[in-house]
Amino acid sequence: MFKKIAADALGLSDIGTIIQPSDYDKTDADDYVMHEDQEKIYFLIKTKADEYCFTNLAIIHVDGTSAASSKRTLKRYPYSQHKISGVMLETAGKLDMDVEIKFHIGNEKIDIDVRKDQIEQLKDLYKALLQISEITYENGIILDFASQSLDKAVSVLQNARTDDNNLAATYKGITDFGFQWLTSAREKYHEKDFGAIFEKYINN
């Protein structure tokens, strides 16, 4: 009992452990992975209260209110809807018991403490998240360029002289082209599945 109280007071009960793939099916997070849609777990960290599951499609956070409570809240952050940013890795000092990975997923700030003897595995996750962050950032810029270039093209066409008899056909052509242009750009630069990135950097 005393050890548990001391651990909670020192914050040691919140230090996470990286779970091995062979034990993924023993976690709560695995129950919420969309295996039916080819979703796959690539990295999983478990603390006394929480689980942080990184799949090719999303981050799944099984959020516990405290280590002593059995109540859990499931939070799912698809990469296609919530951009990863501000990825940082904090290594341990001589007296520290843990290392820490920090990042934002959309507007949510995530800080995860992990046993310092698992730093090498955590470095792999850091690299993967950093790469996903850079890819989504660059893709966002390209999508903005695509939208801006379309707006300019439409503006030019609208200001051009058009035969009133062909007005409806002209605007229909502009609308159809604009839809196809933006749809094509989104399909190419709005990535949902980052399995290839995790495959490259996660060395289980």
Side-chain angles (χ1 to χ4, degrees):
M1 180 67 179
F2 175 76
K3 288 183 178 180
K4 181 183 183 302
I5 295 173
D8 287 339
L10 294 171
L12 301 181
S13 61
D14 289 330
I15 297 178
T17 298
I18 297 171
I19 304 301
Q20 297 306 305
S22 58
D23 293 324
Y24 286 164
D25 61 352
K26 300 174 184 176
T27 63
D28 291 333
D30 183 67
D31 294 335
Y32 304 105
V33 175
M34 297 181 181
H35 299 287
E36 301 86 351
D37 297 321
Q38 287 72 56
E39 185 172 22
K40 178 183 176 181
I41 301 175
Y42 282 94
F43 208 91
L44 203 156
I45 301 170
K46 182 178 179 64
T47 71
K48 292 285 186 181
D50 300 288
E51 291 178 6
Y52 300 90
C53 177
F54 299 82
T55 79
N56 53 315
L57 302 179
I59 295 174
I60 299 170
H61 179 197
V62 182
D63 187 0
T65 54
S66 71
S69 172
S70 60
K71 185 177 180 179
R72 298 288 185 267
T73 300
L74 179 68
K75 300 176 182 179
R76 182 181 175 88
Y77 303 97
Y79 306 123
S80 60
Q81 299 175 28
H82 305 272
K83 290 184 178 180
I84 293 176
S85 62
V87 183
M88 294 185 290
L89 181 66
E90 187 176 287
T91 59
K94 290 183 178 179
L95 300 179
D96 293 325
M97 300 290 292
D98 62 309
V99 292
E100 187 174 4
I101 189 163
K102 306 177 182 181
F103 58 91
H104 284 83
I105 179 74
N107 295 323
E108 194 77 17
K109 184 180 179 182
I110 305 291
D111 294 348
I112 311 173
D113 296 322
V114 178
R115 286 169 29 198
K116 69 177 181 180
D117 62 346
Q118 294 186 313
I119 179 64
E120 294 304 320
Q121 290 172 269
L122 199 62
K123 287 178 182 178
D124 294 339
L125 177 63
Y126 167 78
K127 292 176 185 177
L129 295 181
L130 192 64
Q131 186 69 3
I132 292 172
S133 172
E134 291 175 357
I135 289 171
T136 53
Y137 175 78
E138 292 297 330
N139 284 352
I141 292 176
I142 294 173
L143 285 172
D144 284 342
F145 284 164
S147 180
Q148 290 172 24
S149 64
L150 179 63
D151 289 344
K152 290 179 180 179
V154 170
S155 178
V156 169
L157 288 172
Q158 287 177 333
N159 292 326
R161 290 186 176 181
T162 304
D163 186 341
D164 288 343
N165 295 325
N166 296 323
L167 188 61
T170 299
Y171 275 92
K172 182 179 184 304
I174 293 173
T175 302
D176 290 346
F177 174 79
F179 178 78
Q180 292 174 11
W181 172 266
L182 292 178
T183 299
S184 176
R186 185 176 176 82
E187 288 177 352
K188 187 174 181 179
Y189 295 107
H190 187 73
E191 295 188 42
K192 297 181 179 180
D193 190 328
F194 287 94
I197 298 299
F198 283 110
E199 293 280 357
K200 180 178 181 181
Y201 291 103
I202 304 298
N203 301 306
N204 288 318

